[in-house]
PDB file of all heavy atoms in Angstrom:
ATOM      1  N   GLN A 835       2.831   4.356 -30.855  1.00  0.00           N
ATOM      2  CA  GLN A 835       2.908   5.811 -30.665  1.00  0.00           C
ATOM      3  C   GLN A 835       4.276   6.291 -30.182  1.00  0.00           C
ATOM      4  O   GLN A 835       4.532   7.485 -30.122  1.00  0.00           O
ATOM      5  CB  GLN A 835       1.843   6.273 -29.650  1.00  0.00           C
ATOM      6  CG  GLN A 835       0.436   6.296 -30.208  1.00  0.00           C
ATOM      7  CD  GLN A 835      -0.589   6.680 -29.135  1.00  0.00           C
ATOM      8  OE1 GLN A 835      -1.512   5.926 -28.847  1.00  0.00           O
ATOM      9  NE2 GLN A 835      -0.423   7.852 -28.532  1.00  0.00           N
ATOM     10  N   LEU A 836       5.140   5.335 -29.785  1.00  0.00           N
ATOM     11  CA  LEU A 836       6.439   5.723 -29.227  1.00  0.00           C
ATOM     12  C   LEU A 836       7.517   5.840 -30.306  1.00  0.00           C
ATOM     13  O   LEU A 836       8.712   5.792 -30.012  1.00  0.00           O
ATOM     14  CB  LEU A 836       6.876   4.698 -28.162  1.00  0.00           C
ATOM     15  CG  LEU A 836       6.043   4.676 -26.882  1.00  0.00           C
ATOM     16  CD1 LEU A 836       6.255   3.369 -26.120  1.00  0.00           C
ATOM     17  CD2 LEU A 836       6.386   5.855 -25.973  1.00  0.00           C
ATOM     18  N   ARG A 837       7.103   6.010 -31.554  1.00  0.00           N
ATOM     19  CA  ARG A 837       8.057   6.004 -32.668  1.00  0.00           C
ATOM     20  C   ARG A 837       9.084   7.141 -32.552  1.00  0.00           C
ATOM     21  O   ARG A 837       8.781   8.238 -32.109  1.00  0.00           O
ATOM     22  CB  ARG A 837       7.282   6.125 -33.982  1.00  0.00           C
ATOM     23  CG  ARG A 837       8.013   5.507 -35.150  1.00  0.00           C
ATOM     24  CD  ARG A 837       7.066   5.275 -36.322  1.00  0.00           C
ATOM     25  NE  ARG A 837       6.285   4.053 -36.181  1.00  0.00           N
ATOM     26  CZ  ARG A 837       4.997   3.943 -36.559  1.00  0.00           C
ATOM     27  NH1 ARG A 837       4.369   4.974 -37.059  1.00  0.00           N
ATOM     28  NH2 ARG A 837       4.365   2.802 -36.428  1.00  0.00           N
ATOM     29  N   SER A 838      10.321   6.851 -32.945  1.00  0.00           N
ATOM     30  CA  SER A 838      11.383   7.868 -32.961  1.00  0.00           C
ATOM     31  C   SER A 838      12.065   7.835 -34.318  1.00  0.00           C
ATOM     32  O   SER A 838      12.203   6.769 -34.919  1.00  0.00           O
ATOM     33  CB  SER A 838      12.408   7.564 -31.856  1.00  0.00           C
ATOM     34  OG  SER A 838      13.652   8.175 -32.147  1.00  0.00           O
ATOM     35  N   ASN A 839      12.483   9.001 -34.795  1.00  0.00           N
ATOM     36  CA  ASN A 839      13.209   9.053 -36.076  1.00  0.00           C
ATOM     37  C   ASN A 839      14.635   8.559 -35.942  1.00  0.00           C
ATOM     38  O   ASN A 839      15.265   8.210 -36.932  1.00  0.00           O
ATOM     39  CB  ASN A 839      13.257  10.493 -36.599  1.00  0.00           C
ATOM     40  CG  ASN A 839      11.987  10.847 -37.361  1.00  0.00           C
ATOM     41  OD1 ASN A 839      11.117   9.989 -37.547  1.00  0.00           O
ATOM     42  ND2 ASN A 839      11.880  12.082 -37.791  1.00  0.00           N
ATOM     43  N   PHE A 840      15.156   8.578 -34.707  1.00  0.00           N
ATOM     44  CA  PHE A 840      16.598   8.395 -34.528  1.00  0.00           C
ATOM     45  C   PHE A 840      16.982   7.159 -33.723  1.00  0.00           C
ATOM     46  O   PHE A 840      18.068   6.622 -33.902  1.00  0.00           O
ATOM     47  CB  PHE A 840      17.190   9.642 -33.856  1.00  0.00           C
ATOM     48  CG  PHE A 840      16.852  10.906 -34.597  1.00  0.00           C
ATOM     49  CD1 PHE A 840      15.915  11.799 -34.104  1.00  0.00           C
ATOM     50  CD2 PHE A 840      17.453  11.192 -35.818  1.00  0.00           C
ATOM     51  CE1 PHE A 840      15.595  12.955 -34.783  1.00  0.00           C
ATOM     52  CE2 PHE A 840      17.139  12.349 -36.513  1.00  0.00           C
ATOM     53  CZ  PHE A 840      16.204  13.238 -35.995  1.00  0.00           C
ATOM     54  N   ALA A 841      16.110   6.745 -32.825  1.00  0.00           N
ATOM     55  CA  ALA A 841      16.436   5.600 -31.958  1.00  0.00           C
ATOM     56  C   ALA A 841      15.381   4.520 -32.148  1.00  0.00           C
ATOM     57  O   ALA A 841      14.434   4.688 -32.921  1.00  0.00           O
ATOM     58  CB  ALA A 841      16.485   6.056 -30.499  1.00  0.00           C
ATOM     59  N   ASP A 842      15.519   3.398 -31.414  1.00  0.00           N
ATOM     60  CA  ASP A 842      14.521   2.329 -31.533  1.00  0.00           C
ATOM     61  C   ASP A 842      13.125   2.852 -31.186  1.00  0.00           C
ATOM     62  O   ASP A 842      12.142   2.509 -31.819  1.00  0.00           O
ATOM     63  CB  ASP A 842      14.889   1.156 -30.611  1.00  0.00           C
ATOM     64  CG  ASP A 842      16.136   0.428 -31.116  1.00  0.00           C
ATOM     65  OD1 ASP A 842      16.484   0.604 -32.304  1.00  0.00           O
ATOM     66  OD2 ASP A 842      16.771  -0.288 -30.318  1.00  0.00           O
ATOM     67  N   PHE A 843      13.054   3.675 -30.159  1.00  0.00           N
ATOM     68  CA  PHE A 843      11.804   4.375 -29.853  1.00  0.00           C
ATOM     69  C   PHE A 843      12.072   5.532 -28.903  1.00  0.00           C
ATOM     70  O   PHE A 843      13.191   5.682 -28.392  1.00  0.00           O
ATOM     71  CB  PHE A 843      10.718   3.453 -29.295  1.00  0.00           C
ATOM     72  CG  PHE A 843      11.228   2.390 -28.368  1.00  0.00           C
ATOM     73  CD1 PHE A 843      11.431   2.663 -27.030  1.00  0.00           C
ATOM     74  CD2 PHE A 843      11.507   1.106 -28.841  1.00  0.00           C
ATOM     75  CE1 PHE A 843      11.905   1.695 -26.175  1.00  0.00           C
ATOM     76  CE2 PHE A 843      11.989   0.120 -27.982  1.00  0.00           C
ATOM     77  CZ  PHE A 843      12.184   0.425 -26.650  1.00  0.00           C
ATOM     78  N   ALA A 844      11.045   6.355 -28.709  1.00  0.00           N
ATOM     79  CA  ALA A 844      11.146   7.510 -27.824  1.00  0.00           C
ATOM     80  C   ALA A 844      10.614   7.136 -26.440  1.00  0.00           C
ATOM     81  O   ALA A 844       9.952   6.114 -26.281  1.00  0.00           O
ATOM     82  CB  ALA A 844      10.354   8.674 -28.399  1.00  0.00           C
ATOM     83  N   ASN A 845      10.903   7.989 -25.454  1.00  0.00           N
ATOM     84  CA  ASN A 845      10.412   7.670 -24.107  1.00  0.00           C
ATOM     85  C   ASN A 845       9.043   8.288 -23.827  1.00  0.00           C
ATOM     86  O   ASN A 845       8.474   8.052 -22.771  1.00  0.00           O
ATOM     87  CB  ASN A 845      11.425   8.076 -23.028  1.00  0.00           C
ATOM     88  CG  ASN A 845      11.483   9.564 -22.774  1.00  0.00           C
ATOM     89  OD1 ASN A 845      11.247  10.375 -23.683  1.00  0.00           O
ATOM     90  ND2 ASN A 845      11.787   9.953 -21.538  1.00  0.00           N
ATOM     91  N   VAL A 846       8.520   9.098 -24.758  1.00  0.00           N
ATOM     92  CA  VAL A 846       7.167   9.657 -24.572  1.00  0.00           C
ATOM     93  C   VAL A 846       6.399   9.601 -25.887  1.00  0.00           C
ATOM     94  O   VAL A 846       6.987   9.478 -26.965  1.00  0.00           O
ATOM     95  CB  VAL A 846       7.194  11.112 -24.064  1.00  0.00           C
ATOM     96  CG1 VAL A 846       7.699  11.194 -22.649  1.00  0.00           C
ATOM     97  CG2 VAL A 846       8.030  11.996 -24.985  1.00  0.00           C
ATOM     98  N   ALA A 847       5.055   9.733 -25.749  1.00  0.00           N
ATOM     99  CA  ALA A 847       4.201   9.642 -26.944  1.00  0.00           C
ATOM    100  C   ALA A 847       3.040  10.627 -26.885  1.00  0.00           C
ATOM    101  O   ALA A 847       1.934  10.310 -27.280  1.00  0.00           O
ATOM    102  CB  ALA A 847       3.671   8.223 -27.080  1.00  0.00           C
TER     103      ALA A 847
END
Side-chain angles (χ1 to χ4, degrees):
Q835 285 177 239
L836 292 162
R837 207 163 279 142
S838 158
N839 276 356
F840 306 106
D842 290 342
F843 38 84
N845 75 329
V846 291

